[in-house]
Amino acid sequence: MSRVVVTGRVPEAALEKLRAEHDVDAWTGPGSIGRDELLRRVAGADAIVSLLTERIDGELLDAAGPQLRVVANVAVGYDNIDVPACTERGVIATNTPGVLTEATADIAFGLILSATRRLGEGERLIRSGQEWKWGMFFLLGSSLQGKTLGVVGMGGIGQATARRAKAFGMEIVYQSRSELDPGVAAELGARRVDLDELLAVSDVVSLHCPYGPATHHLIGAGELVAMKESAYLINTARGPIIDEAALAAALGEGQIAGAGLDVFEKEPAVHPGLLELDNVVLVPHLGSATVETRTAMAMLAADNALAVLSGGPPPTPIS
Ligand code: DGY
C-alpha cells in the first residue's frame, strides 16, 4: 500500500477509487491547505494529487522525499507545477486534458455572449432597483453573426470554442504553434494567421493558450491598441497572459469595447480598475466548474496516480 496525499477537496468518487488500493491523506479544509501544512503532509508520500491552487516546486518535492513517484494535477493547466524539477527527481507529472474541454468552451462562449450583449450590466441594473424601460437604444450590444472570432491557442478548448462560434455564424481565424488538422480546419472554415493579423481582424479575441514564460503578458498595451475599438477580449486560460493593468486602462479609455474574464493575473485578486468598469464581465475561474467535469477531472487524476503506483504508464502524462 502506497501513501497518496490529496492537497484539496475532490469528488468522493475519486477518493474512493484511491482508497480502494492505497492509504489516502486528503485535505478536507476549511479553505485551501496552507503551505506549511502541505509541506508537512507530503513527507513520505508516494503520490500527490494536486489542485491548481498548490505550488508544486523543488522545495515541496524535497519535502515529500525520494520515494515520490507521481504528481497528478487535477487540471489541464500545470503552471503550478515545476515540471523540470519533477523530471530531475524522476517524478512523473500528469494533468487532465480532454475532460474539461467542452465545459471550458461553454464558459468562454458564455463570456462572449455576456460581454457582447451586456448581460452583466443588465443584471446589475435590475438588481440596483433603478427604473428602466424597453427603449430602441437601451443597452445596445453587438451581434456575433458575420463577425470574426480570433482564437489564440487552437488546442482542444480553442477548437471547441471555435465550433460554438461557427454555430453562431462567426468566421474563425486562429494563431497557434501548429497548423490545424486539415479536416478540422475545413469543418471550422478556420484560417491560421499570426498574432498581429489576428488582433487586427478579430471582433472577439479569445485566449486558449497555455501559460508560461512565452505567454506572460502576451496581451499588453501594444496588443490592446492593435485590436479594433469595437472588439472584445475573452480569457478562460490563465490570468497572467494578459497585463491586467493595461487591460483596465484600455477598457476605461474605450480602446476596445469590452472583455470577459474567468481568470486573473493575481488570482483570486482582481485589478481594482476592472472592478469599476461596466464593460467587463468578471467570473471567478468557473471554466471547468460543473459536477460532471470536476468529477471526470478528479477521476482522471486518480487514474494517473494509480497507473504510476502500479508500475504502468499514466493515461495523460505532461509531455
Ligand atoms: C484547468 O484545468 O487548468 C482549469 O483552469 C481548471 O478550471
Side-chain angles (χ1 to χ4, degrees):
M1 224 185 218
S2 298
R3 182 170 137 70
V4 180
V5 171
V6 182
T7 71
R9 291 187 59 212
V10 298
E12 196 52 36
L15 290 179
E16 274 169 23
K17 192 164 198 183
L18 291 165
R19 280 192 197 116
E21 294 184 40
H22 299 290
D23 175 20
V24 177
D25 176 6
W27 173 258
T28 51
S32 295
I33 189 167
R35 180 75 179 174
D36 290 344
E37 176 68 11
L38 180 61
L39 291 173
R40 201 180 60 70
R41 283 202 187 205
V42 294
D46 302 286
I48 298 174
V49 174
S50 56
L51 303 190
L52 58 83
T53 40
E54 275 72 63
R55 199 173 72 251
I56 309 295
D57 55 11
E59 180 192 33
L60 184 129
L61 298 169
D62 290 340
Q67 76 299 325
L68 181 68
R69 291 159 70 188
V70 56
V71 171
N73 214 32
V74 191
V76 66
Y78 50 85
D79 48 303
N80 60 313
I81 300 183
D82 183 341
V83 179
C86 289
T87 311
E88 272 167 31
R89 291 163 178 79
V91 174
I92 295 175
T94 68
N95 66 340
T96 61
V99 292
L100 48 84
T101 299
E102 302 302 330
T104 307
D106 286 345
I107 283 285
F109 219 79
L111 286 173
I112 293 173
L113 287 169
S114 300
T116 57
R117 299 303 301 275
R118 305 175 68 174
L119 300 186
E121 276 177 83
E123 229 250 350
R124 284 193 295 279
L125 179 90
I126 288 188
R127 286 183 189 276
S128 75
Q130 237 176 286
E131 263 183 45
W132 66 277
K133 194 170 164 191
W134 187 93
M136 200 64 168
F137 301 98
F138 178 58
L139 277 186
L140 295 189
S142 179
S143 297
L144 295 177
Q145 177 78 34
K147 300 281 176 63
T148 297
L149 172 71
V151 179
V152 178
M154 199 56 144
I157 300 171
Q159 290 173 40
T161 304
R163 216 162 266 126
R164 283 156 178 74
K166 189 166 161 57
F168 277 72
M170 298 185 81
E171 306 289 326
I172 315 293
V173 295
Y174 71 98
Q175 185 255 330
S176 205
R177 277 176 302 193
S178 47
E179 191 84 44
L180 263 182
D181 168 89
V184 177
E187 173 210 334
L188 296 173
R191 188 167 64 86
R192 188 174 175 210
V193 296
D194 62 22
L195 185 61
D196 289 345
E197 183 176 347
L198 182 144
L199 295 172
V201 302
S202 298
D203 300 292
V204 177
V205 174
S206 192
L207 305 179
H208 299 284
C209 50
Y211 174 67
T215 55
H216 180 77
H217 284 188
L218 181 72
I219 305 296
E223 289 70 27
L224 291 160
V225 167
M227 288 173 65
K228 295 181 184 178
E229 268 187 27
S230 55
Y232 297 82
L233 178 63
I234 306 298
N235 191 7
T236 51
R238 283 291 182 269
I241 298 171
I242 297 179
D243 176 345
E244 225 168 72
L247 176 61
L251 287 167
E253 289 159 17
Q255 266 172 34
I256 64 170
L261 306 176
D262 183 41
V263 288
F264 301 92
E265 190 172 350
K266 298 197 169 82
E267 211 170 295
V270 178
H271 191 284
L274 293 174
L275 297 174
E276 289 164 15
L277 295 168
D278 258 334
N279 56 351
V280 58
V281 180
L282 307 165
V283 295
H285 205 148
L286 298 178
S288 62
T290 70
V291 172
E292 297 85 347
T293 303
R294 289 283 164 82
T295 303
M297 290 164 70
M299 293 302 268
L300 179 52
D303 287 342
N304 276 316
L306 291 173
V308 176
L309 290 175
S310 64
T316 54
I318 295 168
S319 46

